[in-house]
Amino acid sequence: MQKRPPCPRPPGAPRWVAMFHQPARDSWTVGAESPDRDPVLYAVGDMTQTVLARGEEVTVALWGPEDGAWRRYDTPAAAKGPAPATKGPAPAGTAGRPVPGSGEPPELAERMTDRRHQVLMAGLSKAGLYDLSAEDDEAVRAMTDLLDEPTVRRVAHWLSLAGGEHGRGESR
């Protein structure tokens, strides 16, 4: 059994969070977060596949809510290999729609939409907005359908700055 480095509890209110260990820095980074478990597990599988393709080792910690508090869960099986293809309905808001004018196959377009959704949710989290309503989630999904990835990353960066991430005088 491989011993994992200790993973700190994520900041903020309990929600589903996947933390990835970066051996070069001996630090943990939030890889995905959402109020729902399924998008985080999907992201873990996708990110794990990418890291393994680079020939790097993957260490993931999954945190989630339990009775209003944080709980660390066993790393999902998806972290050990690629995310399985799902045959069921797509997550709300994506419906397998390709990005208009992208020319991408529906599976790739859906994955990129999910990725943009994760980036925006992470930005909102860094701005201190954890408890989002269904209306807020629908607004985020509408933005992911309309914006390209560089624009979504720029918006998430603005949100993290608004949350004070870079303005607290922390040293790096």
Side-chain angles (χ1 to χ4, degrees):
M1 177 182 233
Q2 178 184 357
K3 184 176 178 176
R4 294 186 202 172
C7 177
R9 188 179 73 195
R15 60 203 178 283
W16 290 100
V17 177
M19 303 278 289
F20 284 80
H21 184 257
Q22 297 176 325
R25 292 192 217 161
D26 194 28
S27 65
W28 290 87
T29 302
V30 173
E33 58 188 312
S34 174
D36 300 314
R37 182 178 174 142
D38 288 342
V40 173
L41 293 179
Y42 181 85
V44 165
D46 197 41
M47 287 184 236
T48 298
Q49 185 176 11
T50 300
V51 172
L52 291 174
R54 291 184 199 144
E56 298 173 10
E57 185 178 327
V58 180
T59 305
V60 181
L62 180 64
W63 290 86
E66 181 175 77
D67 298 325
W70 282 106
R71 175 180 170 214
R72 185 168 172 181
Y73 290 85
D74 288 335
T75 304
K80 294 171 181 49
T86 57
K87 297 272 186 191
T94 61
R97 294 185 304 250
V99 176
S102 70
E104 297 173 343
E107 298 81 21
L108 177 60
E110 181 178 343
R111 190 168 76 205
M112 293 307 292
T113 299
D114 290 343
R115 213 172 266 187
R116 289 191 303 272
H117 183 266
Q118 285 292 327
V119 168
L120 282 175
M121 292 302 286
L124 289 168
S125 171
K126 287 180 181 178
L129 301 169
Y130 305 109
D131 191 23
L132 300 178
S133 69
E135 185 176 275
D136 294 328
D137 190 53
E138 189 55 39
V140 170
R141 291 209 181 274
M143 288 177 62
T144 61
D145 287 343
L146 296 172
L147 301 176
D148 63 0
E149 190 158 353
T151 304
V152 166
R153 290 191 184 283
R154 180 56 55 211
V155 170
H157 174 72
W158 294 336
L159 290 167
S160 69
L161 290 175
E165 179 177 294
H166 299 286
R168 292 186 219 149
E170 296 173 352
S171 62
R172 292 191 168 200

